Amino acid sequence: MVEEHRPAGGVAEALALLLPDHAVTGVNAGHLWPAEGGDHAEVLGQLGLTLSAVLTAAA
């Protein structure tokens, strides 16, 4: 599950509660705010939402 959301209150957290017998791996925006602005991809990168982070979490 990849979402532009904080760890608490996101879809991955809800799925983990609803599906306790299933593994739910979430990649989210964490708790920090970006230190700099930028375009959408740059801000996601600052939050750790990169393709490599998603692939690592899925592996």
Side-chain angles (χ1 to χ4, degrees):
M1 165 70 54
V2 178
E3 57 184 321
E4 292 179 40
H5 200 282
R6 301 295 175 206
V11 176
E13 181 184 45
L15 284 175
L17 291 171
L18 292 170
L19 304 168
D21 296 331
H22 295 80
V24 176
T25 302
V27 179
N28 56 62
H31 295 290
L32 301 177
W33 290 102
E36 300 176 11
D39 65 25
H40 191 237
E42 291 169 335
V43 172
L44 290 179
Q46 291 179 42
L47 294 172
L49 291 174
T50 61
L51 178 59
S52 62
V54 172
L55 293 176
T56 298

